[in-house]
Amino acid sequence: MKINFFATLRQITGQKTVEFEIPAGTAVMDLVEIVVTRFPPMRAELLDENGNLYRHVHVFVNGRDAPYLENGLATIINQTDVVNIFPAVGGG
């Protein structure tokens, strides 16, 4: 599975798109754990102290923000899905 990282997350991965192998039955939140295991500095960017995805972080699966998928972060994803991860974006 290819995951696209945006903004400051690219500095951690060193590239825009990273290939991941995921087992069948992987949910969105499982994928986030796979990402932070491969890129430990990503944990502070994506997860709070309880291991929950920050509300200001967006994980899009096939163009839909994960919390709005049918099963939210428990939604099962496929190797062919398109995943984009965005950090918090601020501005003025």
Side-chain angles (χ1 to χ4, degrees):
M1 155 171 279
K2 292 181 181 177
I3 301 175
N4 299 307
F5 294 92
F6 292 85
T8 55
L9 301 180
R10 286 185 187 170
Q11 295 170 351
I12 296 171
T13 62
Q15 54 195 338
K16 176 184 176 180
T17 304
V18 179
E19 188 86 26
F20 287 84
E21 290 296 324
I22 62 166
T26 297
V28 174
M29 197 60 200
D30 298 330
L31 180 65
V32 171
E33 280 298 325
I34 291 168
V35 168
V36 299
T37 298
R38 183 161 169 189
F39 297 102
M42 194 84 68
R43 183 172 295 279
E45 301 295 321
L46 302 180
L47 304 175
D48 66 17
E49 64 277 354
N50 297 315
N52 298 312
L53 191 67
Y54 284 121
R55 290 179 53 168
H56 58 264
V57 170
H58 297 279
V59 178
F60 285 85
V61 179
N62 300 324
R64 295 190 59 212
D65 203 356
Y68 301 103
L69 295 170
E70 184 175 338
N71 295 312
L73 296 173
T75 299
I76 302 300
I77 54 176
N78 299 305
Q79 191 73 26
T80 57
D81 288 336
V82 175
V83 176
N84 297 302
I85 301 178
F86 293 86
V89 178

